[in-house]
């Protein structure tokens, strides 16, 4: 069966590093904070909301970066809207059952992660421009 899903992610940048979360449910990957766009929600609002839900951080979008789009081997088409974000306040606390830890990664370190989520792999060229 072919399916399609739309989501938004927050590229939270601090000291020239990006925050990634380690997913433990479904897949063992490092990914950006984010999730599905709710009905009627703007993708930018979804990125900010999801960042707060998953990290307890209040963030502000600094604008659209790019779209990450790929089809999995199971014929699921994922489309992710990526937004550059900065922290407004709060302290990082993993607040959902899907993740168990977080780390700040430089661009160089991200490229070396063997289990980097596809949502991140496909936007590495754009992230390089932002971080280097």
């Amino acid at each position: 069966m072919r399916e399609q899903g739309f989501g938004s992610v927050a590229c939270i940048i601090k000291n020239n590093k990006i925050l990634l979360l380690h997913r433990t449910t479904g897949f063992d990957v490092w990914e950006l904070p984010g999730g599905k766009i709710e009905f009627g929600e703007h993708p930018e609002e979804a990125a900010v909301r999801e960042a707060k839900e998953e990290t307890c951080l209040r963030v502000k979008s600094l604008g659209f970066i790019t779209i990450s789009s790929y089809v999995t081997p199971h014929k699921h088409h994922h489309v992710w809207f990526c937004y550059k974000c900065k922290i407004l306040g709060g302290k990082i606390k993993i607040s959902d059952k899907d993740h168990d830890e977080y780390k700040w990664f430089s661009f160089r370190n991200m490229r070396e992660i063997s289990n980097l989520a596809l949502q991140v792999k496909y936007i590495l060229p754009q992230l390089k421009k932002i971080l280097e």
Side-chain angles (χ1 to χ4, degrees):
M1 180 197 307
R2 298 183 328 170
E3 296 181 24
Q4 190 169 37
F6 296 90
S8 285
V9 292
C11 295
I12 303 171
I13 300 171
K14 179 180 170 185
N15 299 326
N16 217 33
K17 293 184 177 183
I18 290 185
L19 179 67
L20 295 181
L21 306 178
H22 181 244
R23 175 172 285 278
T24 55
T25 58
F27 301 95
D28 171 25
V29 294
W30 286 93
E31 63 186 5
L32 295 163
K36 293 180 181 177
I37 300 168
E38 294 178 359
F39 181 81
E41 185 177 39
H42 189 281
E44 188 171 29
E45 293 170 353
V48 169
R49 175 184 52 78
E50 286 285 348
K52 182 159 180 64
E53 288 177 6
E54 294 182 352
T55 68
C56 293
L57 292 174
R58 287 184 304 108
V59 301
K60 175 183 179 179
S61 171
L62 299 177
F64 178 73
I65 298 174
T66 191
I67 292 175
S68 177
S69 176
Y70 55 90
V71 177
T72 68
H74 297 96
K75 303 289 186 219
H76 190 115
H77 181 206
H78 292 273
V79 179
W80 293 98
F81 296 85
C82 305
Y83 291 89
K84 181 179 179 180
C85 295
K86 75 172 188 172
I87 298 172
L88 294 178
K91 185 175 180 180
I92 298 175
K93 178 183 172 197
I94 301 300
S95 62
D96 66 358
K97 64 183 182 323
D98 296 328
H99 302 99
D100 66 346
E101 66 177 308
Y102 69 89
K103 288 184 186 175
W104 293 96
F105 290 91
S106 67
F107 177 75
R108 182 178 180 187
N109 293 136
M110 271 194 302
R111 287 187 3 224
E112 297 170 356
I113 299 172
S114 62
N115 58 337
L116 188 63
L118 292 177
Q119 62 168 217
V120 184
K121 277 186 183 179
Y122 289 118
I123 64 166
L124 282 175
Q126 289 81 8
L127 294 180
K128 181 177 182 179
K129 293 175 188 175
I130 293 170
L131 296 173
E132 291 188 336

